[in-house]
Amino acid sequence: MEASKILIATDTLKFYYCTKREYLRPVKIFRTVQTFEQYLSAERNSGHTIAFVPTMGALHEGHISLIRIGLEHATCVVCSIFVNPTQFNQPEDLKQYPRTPDEDIALLFRAGCHALFMPEAEEIYPGGRKFQPEVELNGADKVMEGHFRPGHFDGMLMVVYRLLEITNPDFLVMGQKDFQQYSLVGMMISQLRLNARLIIGPTRREPDGLAMSSRNRRLEASFRKKAPIIYQALQYARARLGQLPVRKIESEASAMIDQEGFRTEYFQIVDGQTLLPLESADQASHVVACVACWAGEVRLIDNLSLKP
Ligand code: AMP
């Protein structure tokens, strides 16, 4: 062991080797709503502002970049890891979802995250209690992910609402990577007048352009090698916007991805405010291209702002 490394214990008695700098502030881990709420109210009473980064774990640099954004805005940054069963429309996908809690805790610890909430489903949905926040989404939840993953956004909004209820953060930090997800959460926050200010972090990519994702670790080597085509197709759409009809750009970009052996579920150019499909680029001031495709058994999504 290097001289600068120290073995430390967190409050749940997990032990980590870490540097002296890290030793100064170990991440606190909470598994129950009650202890987590007690911690948050003590932090608030001591004058701290709270940034919250909800995740499903199997953390990577994309998640950690959100922790760093949280640290720029608030004096206390909390993360949750909860693989939310209500947002999986396929039981096999839920079963296969990667879980790497020890690595996750170490990453959060190194990033300077203050606390981690890792509840069981019973804590989030006591007695199996399910509820649906009443939000008018005007069809924004029925297109793209909502169309191909029925029920996904009901489950997602349910868990985000519940996590916000527990955490009541000053800032909620989410990633551009899940464009439709954060757009719907933004609608919920403004309609229900929730306290949290939504901050969006840019999509972090691998050097070859593939958007970082927990699911990437399940990619077969051949798909991993060809996966940069997804980002290339999005860039192609950006280059062609205003030159070709939107439908043609969509079909050409889909074909580019499919030619590499992926199966594109949708490649859609949408209004960045309403999330509804566009007929032409000048119909909206914010235009986003969104894609979902299958790489064998693994489903990948990505998006790119085409305008502005
Ligand atoms: P997940 O664990 O996949 O549910 O994601 C948790 C949060 O991390 C969501 O707000 C995602 O949008 C965000 N996120 C996931 N991948 C990335 C990435 N590559 N870059 C930035 N944020 C990301």
Side-chain angles (χ1 to χ4, degrees):
M1 189 173 65
E2 288 169 37
S4 64
K5 295 207 166 174
I6 297 169
L7 188 65
I8 65 131
T10 69
D11 62 344
T12 56
L13 297 179
K14 281 211 172 248
F15 290 89
Y16 294 97
Y17 288 105
C18 60
T19 66
K20 271 184 189 159
R21 186 176 59 80
E22 289 162 341
Y23 169 72
L24 295 176
R25 181 160 47 68
V27 63
K28 291 188 161 57
I29 302 168
F30 299 93
R31 294 182 190 274
T32 67
V33 170
Q34 197 194 9
T35 55
F36 188 45
E37 283 180 339
Q38 279 165 0
Y39 164 77
L40 289 168
S41 84
E43 290 299 292
R44 250 183 238 108
N45 290 340
S46 338
H48 288 290
T49 50
I50 291 163
F52 175 45
V53 181
T55 81
M56 296 205 298
L59 300 184
H60 49 70
E61 177 53 30
H63 298 110
I64 297 304
S65 69
L66 303 183
I67 300 288
R68 283 193 220 104
I69 291 172
L71 287 165
E72 284 165 18
H73 287 81
T75 53
C76 173
V77 177
V78 300
C79 176
S80 64
I81 294 180
F82 179 58
V83 185
N84 173 36
T86 68
Q87 72 187 68
F88 283 82
N89 53 322
Q90 291 177 348
E92 192 55 26
D93 192 23
L94 173 61
K95 208 169 114 195
Q96 295 283 337
Y97 199 85
R99 290 160 173 88
T100 57
D102 288 347
E103 288 91 330
D104 292 351
I105 294 165
L107 279 175
L108 290 172
F109 182 62
R110 297 207 170 93
C113 183
H114 295 83
L116 169 62
F117 182 42
M118 281 181 102
E120 294 294 329
E122 181 55 27
E123 286 290 317
I124 298 297
Y125 307 117
R129 181 174 73 105
K130 302 273 153 56
F131 52 90
Q132 207 56 55
E134 277 189 34
V135 193
E136 182 47 74
L137 300 166
N138 294 315
D141 59 330
K142 299 287 181 267
V143 292
M144 300 188 287
E145 292 302 283
H147 178 75
F148 286 97
R149 301 182 68 189
H152 167 65
F153 286 130
D154 290 343
M156 183 280 289
L157 287 175
M158 189 187 299
V159 79
V160 174
Y161 182 85
R162 176 79 176 117
L163 290 170
L164 289 176
E165 182 179 69
I166 296 165
T167 313
N168 190 19
D170 300 279
F171 304 95
L172 171 65
V173 192
M174 302 184 87
Q176 171 74 34
K177 162 82 168 37
D178 294 274
F179 163 70
Q180 194 173 5
Q181 169 172 282
Y182 83 69
S183 301
L184 299 178
V185 168
M187 292 178 196
M188 177 174 78
I189 288 177
S190 71
Q191 283 181 37
L192 302 184
R193 297 170 190 241
L194 304 179
N195 281 333
R197 198 180 120 202
L198 182 59
I199 299 177
I200 305 305
T203 302
R204 297 299 299 251
R205 299 180 180 280
E206 301 292 351
D208 62 8
L210 174 64
M212 291 179 178
S213 165
S214 307
R215 295 173 193 268
N216 291 354
R217 61 186 81 206
R218 290 184 50 221
L219 283 175
E220 282 171 29
S222 61
F223 282 117
R224 172 62 194 87
K225 212 167 144 199
K226 293 174 175 174
I229 192 66
I230 301 166
Y231 187 45
Q232 287 161 18
L234 289 167
Q235 288 174 309
Y236 172 80
R238 179 144 75 183
R240 288 286 173 266
L241 195 76
Q243 298 175 356
L244 294 178
V246 160
R247 287 291 99 74
K248 185 152 177 62
I249 300 174
E250 290 172 346
S251 62
E252 287 188 357
S254 297
M256 279 173 73
I257 297 171
D258 291 347
Q259 267 162 20
E260 296 292 342
F262 298 85
R263 186 167 61 77
T264 304
E265 219 165 47
Y266 63 82
F267 190 107
Q268 213 150 34
I269 295 177
V270 299
D271 180 327
Q273 301 300 323
T274 64
L275 277 53
L276 302 180
L278 286 173
E279 292 305 319
S280 78
D282 48 21
Q283 279 180 324
S285 54
H286 182 203
V287 177
V288 183
C290 302
V291 57
C293 66
W294 287 92
E297 300 291 302
V298 183
R299 190 171 181 278
L300 300 175
I301 62 168
D302 200 351
N303 69 83
L304 189 66
S305 265
L306 306 189
K307 188 175 104 179

